[in-house]
Every structure is written in structure tokens, then in C-alpha cells.
Amino acid sequence: MLNKKKILIGVCGGIAAYKLAYVVRLLIKEGAQVKVIMTESAKAFIGPLTLSTLSKNEVYSDFFDSETGVWSNHVELALWADVFLIAPATSNIIGKMANGICDNLLLATYFSAKSSVIVAPAMDLDMSDHPSLKRNLTQLQDDNVSIIPFEHGELASGLTGDGRMAEPMTIVKHVSNSLKIITDFSNKTILVNAGPTQEAIDPVRYIGNRSTGKMGVAIANELASRGALVHLVLGPTSENFNFHSSIQVVHIQSAQEMFDACSKIFTSCDAAILSAAVADYTPSIKSDTKIKKAANTLTIDLVKTPDTLAALGKIKTSKQTLVGFALETNNELENATKKLKKKNLDMVVLNSLADKGAGFGHDTNKVTCIHINGDIRTFDLKSKTAVATDIVNQLKEIIQ
Ligand code: CTP
């Protein structure tokens, strides 16, 4: 199953474009999320309406829609994708990809891609055999693009030979393999926490923060898709998440409830990744009735909340692994390393609010993983799903 994996498809102008209707349908049936970019010439071979209906998403083709005035951001599309499939890939598009020529939305997205890229070429016999195409395909392979080989058979021109695009099932298999669906956490139980907490002032007001829980939920989904049994303790968020079926979700409101739930669950876990943005302070008195407007100023007395991560660090056994997050705005490495040591962690994931596109609310993030043994790994800005894969891979290095 391609459980919520994000597949971006670039469709070019070739007769094999009609097969993309089947490719999209198969990917959706496998549980993937699909978005499609079409070149202008692709539209002569298959209608955008067919692909938008099947993919359940709008189809992109221009940088700028003159009717709606909406700008299609190629960088966002590229960051969204877990894998970028270009099919059918014409000799024209392959030549441009290999030579840095960027004259449409599909190419701009390719040159911004952080995910793996797969190309399924399709063309007529003599074009498929031309030395320039071979040169360009070799260049793409050197650029880490994976090529799905031509199939042999009857071509649209009536000639017979190499040049046919691979069949939809073969293409979907390549996409699945590229996502390396592995189950390396199959015997592990992992606690993840995510989201904000809300500290009640009275029955209608609270102190909260801007966390959405997206990063922690992506980590929980990544672990579950790799076979782990995941306990997710989630703070109040308005996001509408899809949870993998092997995630057990516990909803909490306050820092105290976060502490109680995590302390109880952690003892039966092999590891914990605590990404929640827990409030550090809570009102010392919570009014049972709505506080009425009276004086010109109002002072709320706050007391410290329990630090869940630090508490788990104290009870952690030598068989358990503990990972925390550090949200910093300045002296990032130094502050994060202090938290790593003070809270007795095996690794801390540093998030800097100084990095554009990182932190609360974004679909992207940029992290640095600092290990207790001194290893430091810094990753590029990526989709939160791709960042979750990096963090889980780092956890795997510790627990294996
Ligand atoms: N954390 C926690 N309980 C708290 C506060 C923080 O479990 N009451 C955890 C967070 O989930 C995160 C880590 O501690 O994994 C670091 O949180 P962060 O807000 O970056 O730092 P703090 O420890 O709260 O310190 P400061 O606010 O001074 O930076």
C-alpha cells in the first residue's frame, strides 16, 4: 500500500499520455495522494479534466492562471512530493532536463525537486535509438534520476521495436519500490507526542501556542508505516489528520495531562520521540466561571508545568531511547545541546525558527539531529513527511 504517499506526476505530450489515466487510478487505489502537472502539448493527448477527476486534485500546467490569477508555485509542488514521476517523458523533455533548460512548470518543478525522480520515456523507434537521447538519459542517471526502460512492441507509427512506455502496472511498481516500503520497526513500540497544549484560564479562555502537530503526526505515520506500534499523545489541534491504522491516539489538553499520559505509556515502549510544544507555564488558579471584565489591567499568576521529556529522561532504562525536540531562535546548536544533556536524551532534533519554511504551521521543515555521541546531521528544507523519514532513520541508527 502507498498509504498517503505523495506522488507528483509530470505528463508530457506523447501518445502514451492516455495511459496516465490508468497510472493515476492505480496509485489512488493503492492509497497514494496524487497531483498532476501537464505540459501544454500533453493536453492534446489527454484532457486535464480526466486527470483532475481521477487524481481528485486540480491539474497544474501554467505558472500563472490568467483566469483565476492563481500562481502555481513550482517550489511548493516539488517540496510536496515524496516522489516525482515524469511519464510519458518525451525526447524533448529529457533533453531539457539533462541540460538545465527550464521553459515550463514541469521543468521548473523538476529543477526544484528534493524527492526521488522517476522518468518513463516514450517515443518512436529512431528517436529511442538516437545517440543524443542515450547521452541525455546517461546524464539523468548521473543526476540520480531513475529511468524505467522502454518496452519492446508495436509503436504508434506502425514500426515495431523499443520506444513504448512501460505499462501502468510496471510504472506503479517502480514508484512503490522507490518509496522503499520497509518494515524495519516491526517489533518496536514507540511513544510520540505532538501538537500544542492548552492551559485553561477559565472555562472559555486558555494559554496556547501555534503548534499544529504536523511534524509529530508525520513521525508517527512514518514509524507506523515501517511496522511500529505507535502511541501518539496529541494536543488540541484543528488539523484534520489521517492516522495510520497502527497508531493508537490519546487526546490530551494540558501540559499536566500530557505528562500523565506519556509517563504511563513510556514504561512499555522501546523509544519515545517527544515533539509536542508543551506550555512551560500554566495559570496557578483556573477559574470555574468566566472571568468578568473589570479593572483596566488583569494579572494572571503562572506556575511551571511538569517537563515530560525531562521526567522520561530520569526514568529511562538502558534499553530505551529518548528523543526530544528543541525549538530555538538564537544560539541554536548550543541551546539544543544543553537540552540534550540536561534532559538525558539520546538525540535532540533542532528546529530553528530563524530558518525560512521551518517550524509551526508550515508543511516543510529544516532540522538538525544532534546525537549524544557527538554526531550532528543537518538536513535540507523538505516536506514534513520527508523530514519524518530522516528523523526515523536517525532513530534507527541509535536503536539497532
Ligand atoms: N517539553 C516537555 N515538557 C515541557 C516543556 C518541554 O516535554 N513542559 C519537551 C518538548 O516536547 C521538547 C523539549 O522538551 O521535546 C524541548 O522543548 P522546548 O520548548 O524547545 O524547550 P524547553 O525545555 O521548554 O526550554 P525553553 O522554553 O527554555 O527553550
Side-chain angles (χ1 to χ4, degrees):
M1 284 295 283
L2 289 170
N3 196 19
K4 302 282 168 218
K5 291 287 179 191
K6 295 171 180 159
I7 322 285
L8 181 64
I9 306 182
V11 185
C12 309
I15 182 70
Y18 80 90
K19 290 188 186 171
L20 266 291
Y22 298 98
V23 172
V24 173
R25 204 163 152 260
L26 287 169
L27 290 169
I28 293 283
K29 268 179 105 179
E30 286 282 312
Q33 302 177 60
V34 177
K35 288 188 182 179
V36 177
I37 304 173
M38 296 179 83
T39 62
E40 262 321 297
S41 53
K43 292 180 191 166
F45 296 92
I46 184 166
L49 187 61
T50 305
L51 295 178
S52 67
T53 308
L54 291 170
S55 66
K56 303 182 173 85
N57 266 315
E58 110 183 63
V59 165
Y60 305 86
S61 115
D62 296 317
F63 284 105
F64 186 73
D65 186 325
S66 51
E67 273 171 32
T68 61
V70 174
W71 160 255
S72 294
N73 189 327
H74 56 93
V75 175
E76 264 172 31
L77 277 169
L79 282 172
W80 176 84
D82 293 320
V83 60
F84 186 16
L85 165 71
I86 299 171
T90 55
S91 179
N92 179 41
I93 214 88
I94 291 168
K96 288 176 176 173
M97 287 167 71
N99 291 286
I101 299 167
C102 181
D103 61 4
N104 63 30
L105 181 65
L106 191 158
L107 287 160
T109 309
Y110 166 67
F111 291 117
S112 312
K114 301 269 185 222
S115 66
S116 53
V117 179
I118 303 173
V119 159
M123 62 203 68
D124 219 319
L125 183 63
D126 297 315
M127 290 171 90
S128 72
D129 202 33
H130 199 281
S132 78
L133 179 85
K134 290 181 180 161
R135 257 195 328 269
N136 288 333
L137 286 177
T138 306
Q139 180 60 54
L140 288 190
Q141 276 169 325
D142 288 349
D143 295 343
N144 277 329
V145 173
S146 141
I147 315 287
I148 307 180
F150 291 122
E151 286 186 5
H152 187 89
E154 200 182 317
L155 298 161
S157 61
L159 297 171
T160 300
D162 279 350
R164 280 171 68 92
M165 186 178 79
E167 288 305 316
M169 272 306 280
T170 313
I171 292 178
V172 170
K173 245 184 225 158
H174 272 266
V175 170
S176 300
N177 289 346
S178 81
L179 289 165
K180 289 196 200 76
I181 295 162
I182 37 177
T183 52
D184 50 353
F185 279 84
S186 56
N187 50 1
K188 302 287 181 215
T189 303
I190 317 244
L191 164 66
V192 178
N193 77 3
T197 59
Q198 289 179 356
E199 308 304 315
I201 298 169
D202 69 12
V204 289
R205 303 176 181 100
Y206 62 83
I207 299 171
N209 61 64
R210 297 181 200 280
S211 168
T212 56
K214 283 183 189 170
M215 190 64 251
V217 172
I219 292 170
N221 276 329
E222 171 74 14
L223 284 162
S225 70
R226 287 164 69 163
L229 169 64
V230 180
H231 295 280
L232 172 66
V233 184
L234 184 61
T237 157
S238 51
E239 290 293 318
N240 209 355
F241 288 116
N242 288 307
F243 300 112
H244 189 285
S245 53
S246 46
I247 299 181
Q248 295 180 1
V249 188
V250 178
H251 293 277
I252 55 90
Q253 292 280 326
S254 65
Q256 184 64 50
E257 287 171 14
M258 178 65 85
F259 175 84
D260 294 342
C262 291
S263 308
K264 198 166 145 206
I265 295 167
F266 183 59
T267 48
S268 62
C269 292
D270 299 291
I273 302 184
L274 299 199
S275 71
V278 184
D280 289 331
Y281 291 92
T282 191
S284 57
I285 299 164
K286 295 169 197 356
S287 172
D288 291 336
T289 52
K290 186 181 170 208
I291 300 171
K292 294 308 247 180
K293 186 163 52 185
N296 279 345
T297 58
L298 173 71
T299 305
I300 300 172
D301 187 44
L302 302 175
V303 289
K304 237 189 199 160
T305 56
D307 188 318
T308 304
L309 184 62
L312 299 193
K314 283 193 184 127
I315 58 167
K316 180 181 86 161
T317 67
S318 59
K319 290 197 175 116
Q320 290 176 304
T321 304
L322 187 57
V323 176
F325 269 63
L327 182 65
E328 306 295 342
T329 54
N330 57 305
N331 298 332
E332 291 93 338
L333 265 181
E334 191 189 323
N335 286 336
T337 308
K338 269 189 202 154
K339 283 177 193 167
L340 171 77
K341 291 182 182 155
K342 193 169 161 210
K343 300 195 186 190
N344 191 25
L345 312 180
D346 298 279
M347 181 175 92
V348 70
V349 181
L350 165 63
N351 250 171
S352 170
L353 282 192
D355 287 322
K356 225 173 148 238
F360 293 161
H362 296 284
D363 287 324
T364 51
N365 204 3
K366 185 173 185 322
V367 300
T368 297
C369 292
I370 309 165
H371 293 255
I372 194 67
N373 65 7
D375 285 354
I376 297 181
R377 285 288 311 274
T378 299
F379 297 93
D380 290 339
L381 182 76
K382 297 179 181 185
S383 72
K384 283 192 172 166
T385 333
V387 173
T389 307
D390 290 335
I391 293 171
V392 170
N393 286 343
Q394 293 291 300
L395 172 66
K396 193 181 157 201
E397 279 182 21
I398 305 170
I399 63 178
Q400 72 187 357

PDB file of all heavy atoms in Angstrom, residues 51 161 172 191 329 378 386 396:
ATOM      1  N   LEU A  51      -7.610  13.755 -15.752  1.00  0.00           N
ATOM      2  CA  LEU A  51      -6.580  13.543 -14.720  1.00  0.00           C
ATOM      3  C   LEU A  51      -6.942  14.225 -13.409  1.00  0.00           C
ATOM      4  O   LEU A  51      -6.621  13.712 -12.330  1.00  0.00           O
ATOM      5  CB  LEU A  51      -5.216  14.005 -15.233  1.00  0.00           C
ATOM      6  CG  LEU A  51      -4.690  13.180 -16.420  1.00  0.00           C
ATOM      7  CD1 LEU A  51      -3.361  13.714 -16.910  1.00  0.00           C
ATOM      8  CD2 LEU A  51      -4.546  11.702 -16.047  1.00  0.00           C
ATOM      9  N   GLY A 161       9.469  -2.139 -32.235  1.00  0.00           N
ATOM     10  CA  GLY A 161      10.798  -2.092 -31.621  1.00  0.00           C
ATOM     11  C   GLY A 161      10.727  -1.436 -30.258  1.00  0.00           C
ATOM     12  O   GLY A 161       9.651  -1.395 -29.639  1.00  0.00           O
ATOM     13  N   VAL A 172       3.795   1.727 -11.714  1.00  0.00           N
ATOM     14  CA  VAL A 172       3.378   1.805 -10.304  1.00  0.00           C
ATOM     15  C   VAL A 172       4.341   0.991  -9.424  1.00  0.00           C
ATOM     16  O   VAL A 172       4.689   1.410  -8.312  1.00  0.00           O
ATOM     17  CB  VAL A 172       1.906   1.332 -10.151  1.00  0.00           C
ATOM     18  CG1 VAL A 172       1.514   1.168  -8.696  1.00  0.00           C
ATOM     19  CG2 VAL A 172       0.979   2.342 -10.830  1.00  0.00           C
ATOM     20  N   LEU A 191       6.498   5.674  21.572  1.00  0.00           N
ATOM     21  CA  LEU A 191       5.650   6.786  22.011  1.00  0.00           C
ATOM     22  C   LEU A 191       6.045   8.044  21.235  1.00  0.00           C
ATOM     23  O   LEU A 191       7.235   8.354  21.128  1.00  0.00           O
ATOM     24  CB  LEU A 191       5.870   7.007  23.514  1.00  0.00           C
ATOM     25  CG  LEU A 191       5.384   8.340  24.103  1.00  0.00           C
ATOM     26  CD1 LEU A 191       3.857   8.441  24.048  1.00  0.00           C
ATOM     27  CD2 LEU A 191       5.873   8.499  25.544  1.00  0.00           C
ATOM     28  N   THR A 329      15.505  30.061  18.678  1.00  0.00           N
ATOM     29  CA  THR A 329      15.519  31.245  17.802  1.00  0.00           C
ATOM     30  C   THR A 329      16.927  31.831  17.727  1.00  0.00           C
ATOM     31  O   THR A 329      17.223  32.622  16.840  1.00  0.00           O
ATOM     32  CB  THR A 329      14.575  32.337  18.343  1.00  0.00           C
ATOM     33  OG1 THR A 329      14.931  32.605  19.692  1.00  0.00           O
ATOM     34  CG2 THR A 329      13.116  31.922  18.266  1.00  0.00           C
ATOM     35  N   THR A 378      22.790  17.603   9.627  1.00  0.00           N
ATOM     36  CA  THR A 378      21.907  18.708   9.216  1.00  0.00           C
ATOM     37  C   THR A 378      21.245  18.351   7.897  1.00  0.00           C
ATOM     38  O   THR A 378      21.913  17.876   6.972  1.00  0.00           O
ATOM     39  CB  THR A 378      22.725  20.009   9.063  1.00  0.00           C
ATOM     40  OG1 THR A 378      23.295  20.304  10.338  1.00  0.00           O
ATOM     41  CG2 THR A 378      21.858  21.176   8.643  1.00  0.00           C
ATOM     42  N   ALA A 386       9.055  14.004   4.483  1.00  0.00           N
ATOM     43  CA  ALA A 386      10.442  13.620   4.196  1.00  0.00           C
ATOM     44  C   ALA A 386      11.331  13.857   5.422  1.00  0.00           C
ATOM     45  O   ALA A 386      12.237  13.057   5.708  1.00  0.00           O
ATOM     46  CB  ALA A 386      10.964  14.406   3.001  1.00  0.00           C
ATOM     47  N   LYS A 396      16.731   4.962  14.010  1.00  0.00           N
ATOM     48  CA  LYS A 396      17.101   3.579  13.700  1.00  0.00           C
ATOM     49  C   LYS A 396      18.597   3.353  13.929  1.00  0.00           C
ATOM     50  O   LYS A 396      19.021   2.307  14.450  1.00  0.00           O
ATOM     51  CB  LYS A 396      16.757   3.272  12.245  1.00  0.00           C
ATOM     52  CG  LYS A 396      16.818   1.806  11.930  1.00  0.00           C
ATOM     53  CD  LYS A 396      16.487   1.563  10.492  1.00  0.00           C
ATOM     54  CE  LYS A 396      17.086   0.245  10.062  1.00  0.00           C
ATOM     55  NZ  LYS A 396      17.232   0.194   8.618  1.00  0.00           N
TER      56      LYS A 396
END
